[in-house]
Amino acid sequence: MPTAMEQLIEYIEYILTPSSPVFIVGALIVFLVPIIVHIFVSRATPYTNLPSIVLVGPPGAGKTSLQTLLERGDVAPSTHSSQVPQSIELTASVDQHLSFREAVKDDAPGEHKKFLLATESCATSPWTASWPRTVSRGIVFMLDAATLDENLAATANYLYEVLLALQKRVSSSKTSKAVTVINVLIAANKSDLFTALPATLVKSNLEAELGRIRKSRSKGLLASGVGIDDVDNEENDDWLGEYGSEKFTFGQMQEFNLEVDIIGGSVSEAKVDKWWHWVSERL
Ligand SMILES: Nc1nc2c(ncn2[C@@H]2O[C@H](COP(=O)(O)OP(=O)(O)OP(=O)(O)O)[C@@H](O)[C@H]2O)c(=O)[nH]1
Ligand SMILES: [Mg+2]
């Protein structure tokens, strides 16, 4: 009769001898443990798998007000500017006939979809390393349509950064087909104020200003007579839209898998149904 000690030594020898059952069990552990840990971790943080919409825009545009409206169904006065990015979880009924107030209710008819609305408040450089992951369904760029005339340059500069970063996402990958379409909604807020520009004017003013910005950023490259084909990627990196085109239009972004829409609304008057429908269509 082998003693317990002998049995143990025999067992250890068996494990240490290269044999197919030991190898298979070892391989299973090596492959399965990371998968199990991944499933466990992603269960623990349910947010990571929700479709997300990112809300950006210059200070004072009304981002926090919109978030509050969607979360609570009414607007609380916002007193200070928000520095920290905030995320709220919302549920949308995808029924297009409902107003946003009806659609956010638990007992709303139609299919329900949960999503994450993440607000990023940063005046200059909105782009963070986490963005390409965070932006899964779309971006809402909110601006104050009532003061756009005064803030056109700053607002357009911000928008330029956002669109350029999204454009680079496509131009840096060789297989453009693999890149999914990202939808951008320019939400022209504060239509309740009489100085507010209608969406069509917001669009044409932004297009003109974005065109001016890209011209000045190209540092006279085109004027210096350098042909389009001579310019390598390094140098036209900062050019937004169709390279070398005279006028910038949002339609040029389709080339980079970006769909841009401009819709007016007012958070104060709770006129946000069109934005809401735009979002729920893209979930
Ligand atoms: N008239 C009018 N005022 C609005 C509207 N939406 C927001 N406001 C006001 O605009 C101001 C700025 O709104 P916020 O929601 O704080 O703007 P924000 O984009 O979060 O600003 P930051 O956090 O600084 O980036 C507040 O005083 C709001 O009450 C609107 O539709 N109409
Ligand atoms: Mg805010």
Side-chain angles (χ1 to χ4, degrees):
M1 269 265 294
T3 65
M5 193 61 185
E6 277 166 347
Q7 259 182 343
L8 184 68
I9 289 170
E10 207 172 285
Y11 179 67
I12 290 173
E13 268 173 1
Y14 174 71
I15 289 185
L16 294 178
T17 318
S19 67
S20 42
V22 170
F23 179 76
I24 289 168
V25 169
L28 280 179
I29 292 173
V30 166
F31 287 111
L32 286 182
V33 164
I35 294 171
I36 291 167
V37 167
H38 172 81
I39 291 170
F40 200 76
V41 169
S42 55
R43 278 247 180 93
T45 53
Y47 275 5
T48 50
N49 291 329
L50 285 179
S52 64
I53 301 278
V54 173
L55 179 59
V56 294
K63 301 180 293 297
T64 306
S65 310
L66 176 65
Q67 221 177 18
T68 315
L69 177 67
L70 295 179
E71 209 175 10
R72 300 195 214 148
D74 66 83
V75 206
S78 139
T79 46
H80 59 89
S81 78
S82 18
Q83 302 297 329
V84 211
Q86 290 185 330
S87 286
I88 57 167
E89 197 185 311
L90 292 166
T91 307
S93 162
V94 289
D95 191 328
Q96 291 296 306
H97 304 291
L98 298 175
S99 72
F100 94 92
R101 276 188 211 281
E102 292 160 337
V104 290
K105 284 181 188 151
D106 288 339
D107 57 353
E111 193 195 341
H112 290 217
K113 284 187 175 167
K114 269 190 193 314
F115 70 102
L116 209 63
L117 184 72
T119 303
E120 215 173 280
S121 182
C122 178
T124 48
S125 176
W127 198 258
T128 69
S130 68
W131 254 43
R133 242 179 348 103
T134 337
V135 182
S136 73
R137 295 306 158 96
I139 295 176
V140 178
F141 182 93
M142 187 175 247
L143 57 83
D144 179 349
T147 61
L148 188 64
D149 273 340
E150 305 137 52
N151 301 327
L152 185 59
T155 307
N157 261 308
Y158 191 138
L159 183 58
Y160 197 95
E161 293 298 337
V162 173
L163 294 178
L164 191 65
L166 292 170
Q167 171 178 314
K168 282 179 179 171
R169 180 188 69 110
V170 175
S171 45
S172 62
S173 85
K174 289 278 173 282
T175 51
S176 62
K177 272 182 190 144
V179 182
T180 52
V181 171
I182 286 195
N183 298 282
V184 180
L185 169 65
I186 298 178
N189 192 27
K190 310 199 186 180
S191 66
D192 55 294
L193 300 175
F194 79 98
T195 51
L197 299 178
T200 47
L201 269 183
V202 170
K203 182 181 181 202
S204 55
N205 285 5
L206 283 175
E207 283 180 335
E209 188 63 25
L210 290 169
R212 273 193 287 274
I213 294 171
R214 74 174 183 182
K215 217 171 239 172
S216 69
R217 285 199 186 193
S218 72
K219 299 170 200 119
L221 205 65
L222 294 172
S224 69
V226 183
I228 291 170
D229 297 332
D230 304 338
V231 183
D232 63 21
N233 284 333
E234 288 292 318
E235 280 161 340
N236 65 38
D237 243 8
D238 264 5
W239 184 275
L240 189 70
E242 186 193 335
Y243 193 69
S245 57
E246 185 61 34
K247 284 201 171 108
F248 172 81
T249 62
F250 287 116
Q252 291 173 8
M253 300 314 293
Q254 287 176 343
E255 193 65 32
F256 301 96
N257 285 8
L258 291 175
E259 287 285 346
V260 184
D261 295 302
I262 295 115
I263 304 175
S266 163
V267 176
S268 298
E269 292 187 327
K271 284 187 184 153
V272 299
D273 284 346
K274 285 183 181 160
W275 299 338
W276 180 260
H277 291 157
W278 185 94
V279 168
S280 51
E281 268 172 15
R282 278 150 189 88
L283 295 177

